[in-house]
Amino acid sequence: MGDDSWEDLADHFADEAYASVKGLVRTTVLHQQLLEHLPAPPAAVLDVGGGAGHQSFPLARAGYDVTLLDPSAAMLGKARQRLLQLPDDARHRVTLLQADGENADEAVDGRRFAAVLCHGVVGYLEDPEPLIDQLCRCADAGGVVSIMAGNAHAMAVRPALERRWDDALASFDASSEIGVLGVPTHAHTVEELSDIIRDRGIEPVRWYGVWLFVDWLDLSGARLDPGDSEQVAAATAVELEAGRRDPYRQLSRIFHLVGRKGPN
């Protein structure tokens, strides 16, 4: 999605969605899952479609050298605002670049990274393969590629919890929908994305679920208080465990796939 598409969504996405319980849980769960696979800081991380930095700025705080690449001027404006909230040492470890993910290799001047992240982006593309090709290309030998995507095996969950029964029935064989931001999105399977990255020299290592219970509660209308830190921490602990286990992770509406690049 380009600049014009995100201009009207940036405030809601960066200031509201990530401040919700679902947003807080997503950020923390992905961060903990990533730390299981990343090399020690100050390894270089490229966050493609990184938006306002919610996923990569915590890595900068942890000592990683972060490059955030995004095509949207509006989202990068939000990233600059949030960058000011980081300590000086973390802020100096962050580079912001405006470019399409499909041109990531050129935008970073051919630099290779110990980890390449792409979370919540492939679902907005009709054909994700050109973007995924760039993710794999930008990873260094032995580097991590981390992709978060919608789970095509759980497409009926949202309409069912919203009591849209006809839509739920039709969703069992669907792979696209109008997402919560009001724009078309596409879902994928772990197997599909695993095959795509494997063809590009990235061996899938592990996959996780990201949202389960907090997502279902939110979609069913339950009020979740992001200001209740104890409840958020407790929910995050449960989501971390659910994301590792079958059958729970299979029912998550989004999944997190981690792969590692072979030697050149």
Side-chain angles (χ1 to χ4, degrees):
M1 299 182 64
D3 294 355
D4 292 342
S5 300
W6 279 106
E7 186 173 1
D8 294 334
L9 297 171
D11 287 343
H12 169 72
F13 190 74
D15 299 333
E16 298 176 26
Y18 271 99
S20 68
V21 171
K22 283 175 60 174
L24 295 170
V25 167
R26 164 183 157 161
T27 302
T28 306
V29 165
L30 278 169
H31 184 73
Q32 292 300 321
Q33 292 168 350
L34 277 170
L35 291 181
E36 296 182 11
H37 302 278
L38 294 183
V45 176
L46 174 63
D47 189 4
V48 177
H54 287 86
Q55 201 63 62
S56 54
F57 286 2
L59 294 174
R61 282 182 177 271
Y64 289 91
D65 175 11
V66 168
T67 298
L68 188 158
L69 184 149
D70 200 280
S72 169
M75 291 305 295
L76 287 175
K78 289 293 182 182
R80 291 187 184 94
Q81 293 174 13
R82 297 188 67 252
L83 195 58
L84 297 175
Q85 302 170 15
L86 293 183
D88 286 347
D89 59 337
R91 186 166 63 249
H92 294 149
R93 286 193 289 269
V94 176
T95 300
L96 303 181
L97 293 176
Q98 184 174 359
D100 290 325
E102 290 87 343
N103 298 316
D105 184 40
E106 179 182 358
V108 299
D109 295 324
R111 183 183 178 191
R112 297 297 177 252
F113 294 82
V116 180
L117 320 181
C118 187
H119 298 157
V121 178
V122 298
Y124 294 111
L125 304 174
E126 288 284 347
D127 178 9
E129 293 204 33
L131 173 63
I132 295 175
D133 183 67
Q134 291 287 297
L135 305 178
C136 299
R137 188 175 302 178
C138 289
D140 202 355
V144 168
V145 173
S146 170
I147 302 173
M148 191 198 78
N151 182 6
H153 290 320
M155 290 293 289
V157 170
R158 178 187 166 205
L161 291 175
E162 293 176 343
R163 294 176 288 250
R164 295 185 283 115
W165 302 115
D166 290 343
D167 290 342
L169 193 60
S171 294
F172 283 106
D173 296 312
S175 60
S176 62
E177 64 176 358
I178 301 299
V180 294
L181 294 177
V183 295
T185 59
H186 306 275
H188 303 274
T189 67
V190 172
E191 296 79 10
E192 173 192 359
L193 292 189
S194 293
D195 287 343
I196 291 174
I197 65 172
R198 189 180 287 113
D199 287 344
R200 290 158 174 80
I202 310 294
E203 184 61 30
V205 174
R206 191 166 186 181
W207 75 272
Y208 307 84
V210 179
W211 280 330
L212 183 61
F213 303 112
V214 295
D215 187 54
W216 290 6
L217 286 168
D218 180 75
L219 291 172
S220 62
R223 290 180 175 269
L224 302 174
D225 181 8
D228 188 337
S229 58
E230 290 187 4
Q231 285 294 310
V232 172
T236 299
V238 172
E239 295 287 356
L240 275 167
E241 193 62 32
R244 302 172 186 275
R245 293 176 180 245
D246 291 327
Y248 301 102
R249 66 175 182 165
Q250 299 173 21
L251 298 173
S252 294
R253 284 202 312 125
I254 57 176
F255 65 85
H256 179 200
L257 173 65
V258 179
R260 190 173 298 279
K261 193 170 189 175
N264 290 333

